[in-house]
Amino acid sequence: MFTGIITGVGRISAVQALGDSSTHGKRLTIQAPAGYLDDVGLGDSIALNGACMTVTTFDVAACQFTIDISAESLDKTAGLDGTGTINLEKALRANDRLGGHIVSGHVDGIGSISHFAQVGESWELRVLAPRAMAKYLAYKGSITINGVSLTVNRVADVADGCEISINLIPHTVQNTALGTLVQGSAVNLEIDTVARYVERMMSAPVV
């Protein structure tokens, strides 16, 4: 489990194919911030752009670790198939503060950045989410975008999906990889866990 509060900004520095067919996954080498791996062990969970992955090797001195990502996970996520900057979050401990909201690290859909511009001291980020996710998105509700816990300021159902508007304060832009996004960027989306259970309770047949 995670909270959507980013604990470091890393970089996928190398991508190695684990086979020569489309059914094979990839091994990613991630460069982490200095000291980030001091309390990490083999098998630990770290979310990469909101997708929960397992540490397969790590080198504390070099501030590097690797993960293996399956073809299925590559197909269901964005930004994990090549080199580039990514958001990192270590798994939640039982005694940690829940600073964001409950996040599972399971990507529910891929959205597209439709607008990203500075407004005053902050930034307005608009994301076009798949139509299937629309019923889970609500004004002042929670959404995870590339692993970052954010609050929805506006929801608009449009012809090709559901557009949500997010306000990013300078701290968020400076301390996550969201500042590298541009119009058209693909992003990983995870809906609020509470919304998931409410939808199930409302739709399940009465026994």
Side-chain angles (χ1 to χ4, degrees), residues 69-121:
I69 181 170
S70 68
E72 171 69 12
S73 293
L74 286 168
D75 183 59
K76 297 296 189 293
T77 60
L80 300 180
D81 57 351
T83 59
T85 306
I86 54 170
N87 292 316
L88 304 175
E89 183 187 354
K90 298 173 187 176
L92 178 68
R93 291 191 174 108
N95 63 341
D96 282 344
R97 290 190 176 116
L98 187 60
H101 69 281
I102 297 173
V103 175
S104 67
H106 301 152
V107 175
D108 292 302
I110 297 176
S112 176
I113 302 302
S114 55
H115 178 83
F116 190 28
Q118 190 165 5
V119 180
E121 79 287 352

Side-chain angles (χ1 to χ4, degrees), residues 109-192:
I110 297 176
S112 176
I113 302 302
S114 55
H115 178 83
F116 190 28
Q118 190 165 5
V119 180
E121 79 287 352
S122 300
W123 282 260
E124 182 187 16
L125 177 67
R126 296 182 209 155
V127 180
L128 181 64
R131 182 181 300 278
M133 295 182 66
K135 61 183 175 182
Y136 302 107
L137 304 174
Y139 172 65
K140 297 302 180 185
S142 296
I143 183 73
T144 306
I145 300 176
N146 274 1
V148 185
S149 172
L150 298 165
T151 301
V152 176
N153 288 336
R154 190 172 68 250
V155 180
D157 293 313
V158 295
D160 50 351
C162 180
E163 187 180 63
I164 56 174
S165 179
I166 308 288
N167 180 72
L168 300 180
I169 62 173
H171 177 85
T172 302
V173 174
Q174 294 161 10
N175 291 278
T176 71
L178 294 183
T180 65
L181 298 174
V182 297
Q183 186 173 347
S185 294
V187 290
N188 296 319
L189 303 177
E190 182 184 332
I191 59 174
D192 186 7

